[in-house]
Amino acid sequence: MSDALRDHGTRELTLVWERPAGRVRPSVTLSGFRDGLGVAVVVPVGDDRVLLAASGDDEEDDVVRLWDPVTGEQVGGPLRENSKQGGRVTAMVALPLAGGHTRLATAHYDEDDDGHVVYLWDPVTGEQVGGPLPGPESASNLVAVPTPDGRNLLAITPHDEEGLWLWDAATAERAVGPLSAPAGVEDPSAMAAVTLADGRTLLATAHGHGESAVACLWDPVTGELVQTLLCPHEDEGRPSELVAVQLPDGGRLLALSFNDDDHETVRLWDVATGAPVGGPISGLGLRPVPMADGTTLLSIGSGLWDPASGRRIGDLGANRVPAVVAAVPLPDGPTLLAGEVPGGAVWLWDPTAVEPPAEPEDVGWAGLVAPVTVPDGRTLLATRSDTTVWLWDLRTGETAGQLHTGDTDVLTAMAAAPLPDGRTVLVTAHRSGALRSWDLATGGLVGSLPPGRTSEIRTMAPIASPD
């Protein structure tokens, strides 16, 4: 049971169950993140194999480690510039190259050295490729953009420069830029690569624009502005994250997150028409979750969302699992999600195996919840619903029985009381002032006291006798 009793008013209580069948169970566990998980990204390394590149959340450590998401084992040595202590890793992105090779770009912030800087790595050899590139301010300003000639360009909005540049991942040289934002809009605060129905891939950038936002679509080869989408919204805050979504029918959406003092709202727009799709979704963090069929789900807050229907289809927050840091599509299996758990570990789990939590169960007024231990050692929870007492199994969240206490004499209080013979009875007080005791095994009435002078009893507690 998760946060079993939640206060919904002065006296009304709601019961929320977390059934074991709906809990997050890891497929594999990564260990050794002393200060927590910072950023992570999937890295294809050929032969239908992917690794997970992950960094710790330590301000004084710029180490990136590669992990096998199937076995949970670390692969190779850490990636660190000149094997020195450096700045915190703020973003990473994988850049596939021709021939099945991949470059890994890591963005760092080192206040005492180079400021914001990007390094390119060969993830197989662990060697740095070329010199440092100018670094972005956040993870949303570092994107891989494939081109028709097979290259992958690295889009960077430099921290200390105006405009946006695209770099060739193979040569570590500038290829296109600068791409300047249209007049009257802010510099880009988030970016994403969008593959259109005709096969072209464009670079999408999100910009604040007064009370609205603007999404610009750029040709990564020529640097030309192809399309501008006005994204009106009713949410305060500036664009913070941008995700491209492919729908089963071939349509494309842009999911844009607006941040306002740690409160985030996600809205969706159709790339082709610029029309809004569905209503807002609230939750911290916006991550794409690519599926085996080529479609994309969205991880928002503690939920997994289907952007086509706008429905929440899975839960990611059971057992206090944090927000998703990365989605890991396995070549021959499901997409796993990576998230940090207490104790310096990272879990990878299958989000489709996690059911959404059951709807809250309204249980009545404060004081009308009683734990009851039955002879087999189980602890049940008794809750009131009008004139009926429901018994719930705390281990499963399923109902374990009910007591019909009368159609007209409403319950006002109840408590469990052990008997000398080992049985436990449930004592109920009623609006008339009557007290009744019930056999939990049979549901039958054991005894009763007639109404007294007090017309209504609000609280009760069992008191053990000296013998």
Side-chain angles (χ1 to χ4, degrees), residues 239-277:
S240 57
E241 293 178 278
L242 186 65
V243 168
V245 178
Q246 178 179 334
L247 300 180
D249 62 3
R252 268 66 173 174
L253 302 180
L254 282 177
L256 183 57
S257 177
F258 298 91
N259 182 280
D260 179 34
D261 294 333
D262 293 329
H263 174 77
E264 291 190 11
T265 302
V266 176
R267 292 185 180 270
L268 304 175
W269 282 272
D270 188 300
V271 173
T273 65
V277 177

Side-chain angles (χ1 to χ4, degrees), residues 104-381:
L104 175 64
T106 62
H108 306 250
Y109 176 66
D110 186 352
E111 183 177 4
D112 298 327
D113 192 2
D114 301 312
H116 298 257
V117 63
V118 170
Y119 299 107
L120 295 175
W121 307 86
D122 184 327
V124 176
T125 65
E127 295 178 354
Q128 185 179 327
V129 179
L133 312 181
E137 187 170 6
S138 68
S140 297
N141 299 128
L142 190 66
V143 172
V145 188
T147 61
D149 60 4
R151 294 179 299 160
N152 251 282
L153 303 182
L154 178 63
I156 304 175
T157 302
H159 170 69
D160 56 355
E161 297 182 29
E162 294 183 358
L164 186 158
W165 290 85
L166 291 103
W167 297 73
D168 190 313
T171 64
E173 296 178 352
R174 282 182 172 176
V176 181
L179 310 183
S180 300
V185 304
E186 300 174 2
D187 290 334
S189 53
M191 299 189 296
V194 182
T195 301
L196 304 182
D198 61 8
R200 290 184 302 157
T201 299
L202 303 181
L203 174 65
T205 58
H207 311 254
H209 179 53
E211 297 300 322
S212 301
V214 169
C216 296
L217 300 180
W218 308 83
D219 186 318
V221 178
T222 64
E224 295 179 356
L225 181 60
V226 176
Q227 185 180 358
T228 301
L229 304 178
L230 179 63
C231 306
H233 61 92
E234 301 172 355
D235 315 296
E236 295 182 358
R238 68 193 301 266
S240 57
E241 293 178 278
L242 186 65
V243 168
V245 178
Q246 178 179 334
L247 300 180
D249 62 3
R252 268 66 173 174
L253 302 180
L254 282 177
L256 183 57
S257 177
F258 298 91
N259 182 280
D260 179 34
D261 294 333
D262 293 329
H263 174 77
E264 291 190 11
T265 302
V266 176
R267 292 185 180 270
L268 304 175
W269 282 272
D270 188 300
V271 173
T273 65
V277 177
I281 303 172
S282 296
L284 295 176
L286 171 63
R287 296 286 186 279
V289 182
M291 306 305 291
D293 61 1
T295 60
T296 302
L297 302 179
L298 294 175
S299 164
I300 303 173
S302 63
L304 187 65
W305 297 80
D306 177 7
S309 64
R311 293 177 53 247
R312 176 171 173 152
I313 62 172
D315 180 66
L316 308 176
N319 282 359
R320 297 180 174 85
V321 172
V324 175
V325 173
V328 186
L330 300 182
D332 57 351
T335 294
L336 302 181
L337 300 182
E340 177 192 346
V341 294
V346 172
W347 279 2
L348 279 80
W349 73 94
D350 183 353
T352 61
V354 183
E355 300 175 358
E359 291 297 321
E361 177 75 23
D362 293 330
V363 299
W365 303 108
L368 290 175
V369 178
V372 182
T373 300
V374 291
D376 64 4
R378 289 184 302 160
T379 297
L380 307 180
L381 191 70

Side-chain angles (χ1 to χ4, degrees), residues 383-407:
T383 71
R384 186 208 79 162
S385 177
D386 295 325
T387 59
T388 301
V389 173
W390 290 87
L391 301 173
W392 303 86
D393 191 325
L394 287 177
R395 293 179 301 180
T396 66
E398 305 294 341
T399 56
Q402 59 182 332
L403 306 175
H404 296 287
T405 61
D407 295 331

Side-chain angles (χ1 to χ4, degrees), residues 33 39-41 43 52-56 61-67 74-81 84 87-92 104-108 119 121 123 126:
F33 293 87
V39 294
V41 68
V43 183
L52 181 67
S55 69
D61 192 356
D62 66 354
V63 168
V64 175
R65 292 181 172 86
L66 298 169
W67 303 82
Q74 185 176 333
V75 178
L79 309 182
R80 175 188 285 154
E81 186 218 3
K84 72 168 187 176
R88 179 185 178 191
V89 179
T90 59
M92 291 192 288
L104 175 64
T106 62
H108 306 250
Y119 299 107
W121 307 86

